[in-house]
């Protein structure tokens, strides 16, 4: 009986303590420990990324952010820091690519890799940061989201309000397949840096190009990063094209895009095999098409590499069960298994962007589609990822030539479009 009385007293004290606990204890319970770096972020410690950062001067980006976050005393202050520093990283990368300010090292200015690796250094700082005031999972995700948007140019799209200046929107991608060769660069990302804010002279007058860069991660696309970024601008622009790295030695204007993910691993080594997840799936088409003037682009002399009107797709025919390659595009009622651009994120950004165009009622008025660049290759004597250099003259020349040809392709598309 005495032991029962003791247990009742102890229980009463515990309940009283719980009811009278300060509010800070409840807040602390909502906090979560900092997660570990992602697979993508873990590559940052390898020798090649560190060399790229050092030889571009971008090795100061993550340490500076670490210091600033260390001085933050609230979530709101941390958010302001990340918006500022993310935007500053994008502008610094664009300025470097376009010859403004110091090069910061001997790495060529056209290189997109300093931006990629510096951003990962920043996201790792935020992901592993444990401030004294505490962060919930939702707050940390929101901070990472602000950093991703600002450091990719997604909040930096600026068009003049005058009617005389036409508007063009171009997208690029991060490097990918980094476990195959961690030295890899993505010419579409390099093109985005080189063209952002530039003016193209067309037969019908000037056109301003604005660019953004997207991650090579399935989850970001599932979460709607493409639609969220492009929706505010598609009704305002005169032309758009998504751009990615494609096949060796050639450009392709992809005629058809498919609603299928083929499962190839992304930069976090995660694969997805499924129908492309979009809002309102009941009205989702299996295929979307380019509205770029592909015939004129292919016929024009735009540069060193041949340019093809690429029409091949892979489908399951209506009533069938096996996938079939169709060289001339999909047949009626078929199910997509690969668009012209395959079934990876290159195809998916093309599918999402053109589907958004169509859902906004712009199919007949807005030229838009996808351009695949050649694979960016190292020089003949620099092909071993284990022993090769991070750059060489042929590698740089290949990237410079690809950037110049994308500019020419866009100029041809603009000339044709604006004459109509």
């Amino acid at each position: 009986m005495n032991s029962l009385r003791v247990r009742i007293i102890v229980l009463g004290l515990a309940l009283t303590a719980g009811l009278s606990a300060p509010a800070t204890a409840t807040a602390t319970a909502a906090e979560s420990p900092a997660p570990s770096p992602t697979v993508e972020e873990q590559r940052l410690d390898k020798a090649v990324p560190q060399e790229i950062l050092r030889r571009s001067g971008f090795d100061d980006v993550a340490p500076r952010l670490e210091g600033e976050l260390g001085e933050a005393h609230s979530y709101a202050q941390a958010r302001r820091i990340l918006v500022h520093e993310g935007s500053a990283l994008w502008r610094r990368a664009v300025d470097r690519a376009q010859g403004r300010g110091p090069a910061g090292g001997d790495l060529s200015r056209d290189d997109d890799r300093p931006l990629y690796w510096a951003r990962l250094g920043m996201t790792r700082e935020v992901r592993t940061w444990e401030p004294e005031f505490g962060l919930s999972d939702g707050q940390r995700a929101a901070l990472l989201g602000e950093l991703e948007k600002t450091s990719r140019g997604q909040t930096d799209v600026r068009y003049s309000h005058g009617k005389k200046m036409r508007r063009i929107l171009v997208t690029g991608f991060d490097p990918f397949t980094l476990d195959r060769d961690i030295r890899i660069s993505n010419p579409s990302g390099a093109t985005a840096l080189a063209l952002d804010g530039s003016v193209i002279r067309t037969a019908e007058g000037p056109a301003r190009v604005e660019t953004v860069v997207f991650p090579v991660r399935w989850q970001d696309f599932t979460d709607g990063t493409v639609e969220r970024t492009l929706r505010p601008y598609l009704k305002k622009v005169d032309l758009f094209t998504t751009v990615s790295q494609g096949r060796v030695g050639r450009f392709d204007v992809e005629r058809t895009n498919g609603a299928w993910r083929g499962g190839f691993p992304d930069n976090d080594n995660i694969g997805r095999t499924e129908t492309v997840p979009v809002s309102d799936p009941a009205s989702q088409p299996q295929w979307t098409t380019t509205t770029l003037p592909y015939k004129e682009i292919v016929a024009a002399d735009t540069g060193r590499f041949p340019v093809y009107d690429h029409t091949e797709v892979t489908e399951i025919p209506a009533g069938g069960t096996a996938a079939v390659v169709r060289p001339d595009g999909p047949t009626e009622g078929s199910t997509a298994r690969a668009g012209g651009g395959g079934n990876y994120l290159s195809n998916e950004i093309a599918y999402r962007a053109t589907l958004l165009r169509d859902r906004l009622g712009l199919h007949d008025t807005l030229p838009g589609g996808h351009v695949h660049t050649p694979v960016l290759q190292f020089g003949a004597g620099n092909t071993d990822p284990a022993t090769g250099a991070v750059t060489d003259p042929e590698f740089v020349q290949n990237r410079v030539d690809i950037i110049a040809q994308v500019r020419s392709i866009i100029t041809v598309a603009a000339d044709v479009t604006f004459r109509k």
Side-chain angles (χ1 to χ4, degrees), residues 382-403:
N382 186 26
T383 57
D384 187 345
T387 61
V390 300
T391 189
D392 61 61
E394 187 174 341
F395 179 69
V396 173
Q397 190 60 57
N398 287 338
R399 186 167 52 213
V400 169
D401 289 347
I402 291 170
I403 292 170

Side-chain angles (χ1 to χ4, degrees), residues 35-52:
S36 301
T38 64
V39 169
E40 193 172 19
E41 291 164 351
Q42 289 172 25
R43 298 188 186 100
L44 188 61
D45 292 325
K46 295 181 181 292
V48 166
Q50 292 302 310
E51 180 181 350
I52 289 169

